[in-house]
Amino acid sequence: MVAPARTSFPKSEISVLLLENIHASADELFGAAGEGWKIERASAALREGELIERIRDVHVLGIRSKTRVTPAVLAEARRLLAIGAFCIGTNQIACGAAAHAGVPVFNAPYSNTRSVAELVLAEIVFLARQLGDRIREVHGGRWRKVSAGCHEVRGKTLGIIGYGHIGTQVGVLAEAFGMRVLYFDIATKLAVGNVRPVPDLRALLASSDFVTLHVPETPQTQGMIGAAELAAMRPGAHLLNASRGTVVDVEALAAALRSGHL
């Protein structure tokens, strides 16, 4: 008697749900992996109740940053084989509950690295030239052609907190702008170009005209920039948070802005 051939889960029965306008190239990649994949799409994120209804017969779920995959959703995902986050972060997914259910979670750590780095440099120039104030004034019908307090970013110091994929690219672009670049990271990282590490967070804050945050949301990073850290920054310095909102104490930041320290 010949033993039946061992096969993986039949691809012709796999159902894929892609949310939040994931790029059409995903369909091509799934198609290349095998015939018969059933792919459904939604242009926006689904609320918890809606996702519970849709996910019961789904094998692969693809999301971006707005969809919340909660324990309640995972409890109803009886056929789920994997969750793909088409973005960098995974904090919108109950990863503990997914692990308990044996559902692997994947992300795309390089998906928007350069986009974020370019945006951070644009924001640095925007802040250095006080464009936010001038735009608000023009929309209010007031024309003020002033340059007091405005400056080029060349020669200024940028401090990068979190020297990972994005932080590294920010440093490369900032050096091309003629900035002096420092970084602080809890892990030892190889510096790119002339970027220099600093021994601790306070040293970076006290030495930087601009500080940009590129850290994940973890128990260690929540509230890592509070009143004491903001006070350690140079008077008139700028803070850019490209991390999760919980990394900065918003009330302390508002106080620092009202006082004119930042």
Side-chain angles (χ1 to χ4, degrees):
M1 182 177 180
V2 178
R6 295 182 180 273
T7 61
S8 61
F9 190 89
K11 294 180 180 178
S12 61
E13 297 180 17
I14 292 179
S15 174
V16 180
L17 177 59
L18 303 178
L19 306 179
E20 302 183 63
N21 269 338
I22 288 173
H23 196 275
S25 60
D27 297 59
E28 299 172 7
L29 292 170
F30 281 124
E35 297 294 332
W37 293 54
K38 179 184 177 183
I39 301 176
E40 296 183 3
R41 285 181 162 273
S43 61
L46 299 181
R47 295 180 178 178
E48 184 180 62
E50 296 172 315
L51 186 54
I52 286 174
E53 291 298 320
R54 294 285 294 273
I55 205 169
R56 290 194 174 105
D57 294 319
V58 168
H59 298 94
V60 178
L61 174 65
I63 65 170
R64 296 180 71 183
S65 59
K66 292 183 179 179
T67 300
R68 295 289 179 264
V69 184
T70 63
V73 170
L74 289 164
E76 296 295 325
R78 57 188 180 183
R79 298 184 178 180
L80 196 60
L81 301 175
I83 301 172
F86 286 63
C87 53
I88 292 178
T90 58
N91 64 303
Q92 71 276 36
I93 302 169
C95 292
H100 182 74
V103 177
V105 175
F106 303 93
N107 68 335
Y110 299 98
S111 58
N112 62 351
T113 297
R114 186 71 178 194
S115 298
V116 174
E118 290 183 3
L119 182 61
V120 168
L121 265 294
E123 290 174 343
I124 288 172
V125 174
F126 187 92
L127 291 168
R129 302 300 177 85
Q130 299 181 1
L131 292 182
D133 292 332
R134 302 294 85 79
I135 290 170
R136 175 173 46 80
E137 290 161 0
V138 168
H139 279 283
R142 185 183 181 197
W143 172 253
R144 292 183 69 231
K145 189 176 180 180
V146 297
S147 60
C150 299
H151 51 77
E152 296 179 348
V153 300
R154 178 177 54 178
K156 299 297 181 180
T157 300
L158 172 64
I160 301 171
I161 301 174
Y163 196 61
H165 304 314
I166 295 174
T168 302
Q169 286 294 304
V170 169
V172 170
L173 295 179
E175 281 207 299
F177 270 65
M179 301 186 76
R180 173 175 174 260
V181 184
L182 310 174
Y183 75 88
F184 171 72
D185 199 297
I186 59 172
T188 302
K189 300 289 182 67
L190 180 64
V192 178
N194 295 314
V195 179
R196 295 194 298 107
V198 292
D200 55 63
L201 180 60
R202 291 298 180 91
L204 180 139
L205 295 173
S207 304
S208 302
D209 300 298
F210 298 86
V211 175
T212 181
L213 300 168
H214 300 279
V215 297
E217 183 183 54
T218 68
Q220 290 74 33
T221 63
Q222 289 186 2
M224 69 179 292
I225 303 297
E229 289 74 25
L230 294 170
M233 294 177 66
R234 289 178 173 179
H238 302 274
L239 176 67
L240 299 92
N241 183 16
S243 302
R244 302 304 185 194
T246 59
V247 173
V248 178
D249 181 335
V250 176
E251 293 300 322
L253 176 59
L257 291 170
R258 284 193 294 266
S259 71
H261 179 63
L262 296 186

